[in-house]
Amino acid sequence: LETTEVTSTLSDAELTDARTGVKATFIGYDVFTQLEYSPGKFEVVRTQVARYGFGGDGARGVLSAAAPAKVIPRAPAGNSLLADMLVGKLVDHLPLYRLHARYARAGLEIPRSTLAEWFARAADTLKPLADRLLERVQASEIVRIDASGIKVQAHDKPGNIYRGTMWCMVGNDSDVVFRFTPEGTGQAGPWNYLKGYTGYVQSDAASVFDRLFNGLVANATPVGCNAHARRKFVALMDTDSRVAYPLLLYRRLYKLETLGKLKGLDGDELTAFRQERSVPVLNKLYLWFARNAMADPPDMPFAKAIAYAINHRDKLTRFVDDGRLDIDNNLNEQQIRSLALGRKNFLFAGSDEAAERLAAGYTLTRTCAMHGVEPLAYLTDVLGKLAAGWPTDRLDQLLPDAWSNPTGPA
């Protein structure tokens, strides 16, 4: 944090004792520290670009110094302002009308329609980086995938609103990609993005992912989500005491995962640890499932919870065979939470194109979060470089993992 030093002193008159005339001498300071807040301030930067002419008046040619690289050449919005808009909406979950009010309080009145246009242009500029991150996810060894709905404005739909789908993919624990599709079908989503994929795919057991595993679209290896399986028993906690035991065993499994992380285990070490400690717990859990599978009719919640775990046992226990895998798909759900928070505030996307821009923005900001990159500084920098014509064959240098490296090219 920036520190401002302030010194409080007394004048000569205040230092002199009125009765004796003796003047006090300085003996030291008492120091008080306090945090203060100054609202964001806008700055006008005027850049004078020098022009030079051959032949005095430029009749034989003109040279110009470098002009500022701007995302929107004829607009007054600088790259840092556009970056602040992106962070405000995508990270702080502020709809544009709240950004408009925030800027107005700081002394800048910008019409909402103008803010919307600027946001769109900034998000479009980031699209090549979002597309490159998708390529990296598609090449990763592990892809975690899930989806969430998003309302989209469409004048040809009942109520002028329809529900689209935002797909989220996380590759190798680091790269995050959001993709919007008007439909929530496998053909529009995972079958398209993961066609031909042969690594691990972690997801819930929704049938929309089946063709990724059966060779019709891809030959990926399925990995289940134990958080998803566990929630079915959590939902019965208040009504069925029988779920206490499986929840106890799930708690043990998660404690072992935490212990493995505290020990710094990964790869083969974590695999060996899970084989020794987690497998016995899983065996107890599935033995209990087998003994209670027929306790209730198949259409009852208790029976359904057990059936889900038994039917997907191979997927749900695969994590113990490879230390690179997670026990659940919560890493993906953490990324979707950012979308869910924003969705509560801005309610809907204005069009399919607006939803696609949100996807590109979330792709970059969530990947920044995964790499510990401060998004405002990052976006300010990369927007300027992309506007200046950054080479397409060097896009990897602008991705958050490379940008965060202090010795890297960015």
Side-chain angles (χ1 to χ4, degrees), residues 274-350:
R274 286 169 169 171
Q275 289 290 323
E276 178 185 357
R277 304 288 297 276
S278 301
V279 168
V281 180
L282 283 169
N283 289 338
K284 290 181 180 179
L285 183 62
Y286 278 88
L287 178 61
W288 185 90
F289 289 153
R291 288 174 175 173
N292 291 272
M294 305 299 292
D296 282 6
D299 60 344
M300 298 298 290
F302 181 76
K304 288 182 178 180
I306 293 177
Y308 181 91
I310 292 177
N311 292 340
H312 303 289
R313 179 172 182 172
D314 289 345
K315 302 174 187 177
L316 292 169
T317 60
R318 184 156 281 132
F319 75 98
V320 300
D321 297 321
D322 193 327
R324 296 173 300 172
L325 302 177
D326 289 337
I327 189 174
D328 56 36
N329 202 25
N330 283 354
L331 182 64
N332 187 291
E333 294 186 8
Q334 290 168 10
Q335 314 314 313
I336 291 179
R337 189 173 297 125
S338 184
L339 167 67
L341 289 171
R343 189 173 53 203
K344 290 181 179 179
N345 290 324
F346 52 72
L347 301 181
F348 57 83

Side-chain angles (χ1 to χ4, degrees), residues 16-348:
T16 304
D17 189 303
R19 291 179 296 127
T20 64
V22 176
K23 184 178 180 180
T25 58
F26 175 76
I27 58 175
Y29 290 110
D30 291 321
V31 179
F32 302 88
T33 302
Q34 58 196 40
L35 291 171
E36 299 288 355
Y37 171 71
S38 177
K41 297 179 180 179
F42 291 98
E43 179 184 8
V44 176
V45 178
R46 295 181 68 251
T47 302
Q48 299 183 93
V49 179
R51 302 173 70 242
Y52 306 88
F54 293 100
D57 59 357
R60 289 181 289 164
V62 176
L63 293 177
S64 294
K70 298 176 62 178
V71 172
I72 313 173
R74 296 185 179 277
N79 300 323
S80 60
L81 176 57
L82 296 177
D84 183 74
M85 288 180 57
L86 290 166
V87 171
K89 184 161 185 174
L90 301 167
V91 179
D92 298 331
H93 320 298
L94 299 175
L96 289 182
Y97 79 88
R98 292 186 187 174
L99 283 170
H100 167 81
R102 194 184 81 181
Y103 292 158
R105 287 195 300 270
L108 189 62
E109 191 69 39
I110 307 174
R112 288 189 216 171
S113 59
T114 301
L115 291 177
E117 180 184 353
W118 289 356
F119 182 92
R121 295 287 295 275
D124 287 342
T125 302
L126 296 175
K127 191 175 184 302
L129 295 179
D131 291 343
R132 178 63 189 124
L133 282 170
L134 175 60
E135 293 175 357
R136 295 212 318 192
V137 167
Q138 292 168 329
S140 63
E141 298 168 326
I142 304 168
V143 175
R144 297 160 178 84
I145 185 168
D146 204 349
S148 184
I150 181 172
K151 292 180 179 179
V152 182
Q153 193 173 41
H155 297 298
D156 59 341
K157 303 290 184 180
N160 295 326
I161 292 286
Y162 81 96
R163 186 178 178 86
T165 300
M166 195 75 82
W167 300 92
C168 178
M169 292 166 281
V170 181
N172 287 352
D173 298 340
S174 55
D175 295 331
V176 180
V177 170
F178 283 83
R179 276 294 187 270
F180 168 77
T181 60
E183 301 175 352
T185 62
Q187 184 175 5
W191 304 353
N192 177 28
Y193 302 128
L194 297 178
K195 184 177 181 179
Y197 185 75
T198 58
Y200 288 112
V201 172
Q202 187 162 36
S203 66
D204 59 31
S207 60
V208 72
F209 301 116
D210 287 349
R211 292 195 181 191
L212 298 178
F213 312 124
N214 61 16
L216 293 177
V217 171
N219 286 291
T221 301
V223 182
C225 174
N226 279 281
H228 193 84
R230 176 181 173 273
R231 287 187 199 118
K232 298 180 183 298
F233 295 97
V234 172
L236 300 174
M237 283 179 58
D238 296 334
T239 59
D240 196 328
S241 61
R242 291 175 294 179
V243 303
Y245 184 68
L247 289 176
L248 172 65
L249 295 178
Y250 274 120
R251 192 176 306 119
R252 289 179 183 175
L253 287 173
Y254 275 88
K255 284 184 177 180
L256 288 171
E257 290 299 299
T258 301
L259 180 60
K261 291 179 181 179
L262 290 174
K263 288 177 173 287
L265 304 179
D266 57 16
D268 293 341
E269 292 179 332
L270 185 55
T271 302
F273 175 80
R274 286 169 169 171
Q275 289 290 323
E276 178 185 357
R277 304 288 297 276
S278 301
V279 168
V281 180
L282 283 169
N283 289 338
K284 290 181 180 179
L285 183 62
Y286 278 88
L287 178 61
W288 185 90
F289 289 153
R291 288 174 175 173
N292 291 272
M294 305 299 292
D296 282 6
D299 60 344
M300 298 298 290
F302 181 76
K304 288 182 178 180
I306 293 177
Y308 181 91
I310 292 177
N311 292 340
H312 303 289
R313 179 172 182 172
D314 289 345
K315 302 174 187 177
L316 292 169
T317 60
R318 184 156 281 132
F319 75 98
V320 300
D321 297 321
D322 193 327
R324 296 173 300 172
L325 302 177
D326 289 337
I327 189 174
D328 56 36
N329 202 25
N330 283 354
L331 182 64
N332 187 291
E333 294 186 8
Q334 290 168 10
Q335 314 314 313
I336 291 179
R337 189 173 297 125
S338 184
L339 167 67
L341 289 171
R343 189 173 53 203
K344 290 181 179 179
N345 290 324
F346 52 72
L347 301 181
F348 57 83

